[in-house]
Amino acid sequence: MAKASHQSSIPLIPGVATPGEVQLALEHGIDTLKLFPAEVVGGQAMLKALYGPYPDIRFCPTGGITLESAPEYLALPNVLCVGGSWLTPKEAVQNKDWDSITRLAKEAAALKS
């Protein structure tokens, strides 16, 4: 996938869960990664630990992130953005409640402005 992404204009943010996977991505010239499932693999503590040996890698943690925990993640120097399923609750999607989803997206966008 890394080779194909270098040959195209399609952005790639591969998911990682271990330092070994971070190293492999770095060997392929990829310096922006998704940490998943963030909370399960150590969350903020994992990101703080990875910052030492990999200060130039930026992460988008997902998996267990909430609107309440997102600001703590965003305060870390190696976190570019966060993702979370709170943005699109299953019930809101099923009911096509786009107003609620828009409101949640605006709240999330305002976290790091």
Side-chain angles (χ1 to χ4, degrees):
M1 233 169 36
K3 290 177 186 175
S5 75
H6 290 308
Q7 297 171 354
S8 75
S9 60
I10 299 171
L12 174 69
I13 303 178
V16 299
T18 68
E21 293 169 341
V22 172
Q23 184 61 43
L24 182 60
L26 195 55
E27 290 171 10
H28 285 280
I30 300 170
D31 62 1
T32 304
L33 302 168
K34 173 182 174 177
L35 181 67
F36 178 83
E39 285 290 300
V40 172
V41 300
Q44 295 173 54
M46 170 70 104
L47 289 162
K48 289 175 185 176
L50 290 171
Y51 185 67
Y54 303 107
D56 296 327
I57 300 288
R58 295 294 170 259
F59 291 93
C60 173
T62 67
I65 311 299
T66 65
L67 181 62
E68 293 75 28
S69 65
E72 296 170 2
Y73 277 92
L74 291 168
L76 298 173
N78 56 345
V79 172
L80 180 63
C81 60
V82 298
S85 56
W86 87 86
L87 291 165
T88 54
K90 189 179 288 188
E91 186 176 300
V93 173
Q94 288 173 343
N95 294 331
K96 298 182 180 180
D97 184 359
W98 311 131
D99 290 338
S100 291
I101 292 171
T102 298
R103 179 185 49 76
L104 292 168
K106 286 179 179 178
E107 288 175 2
L111 291 174
K112 190 173 186 180
S113 35

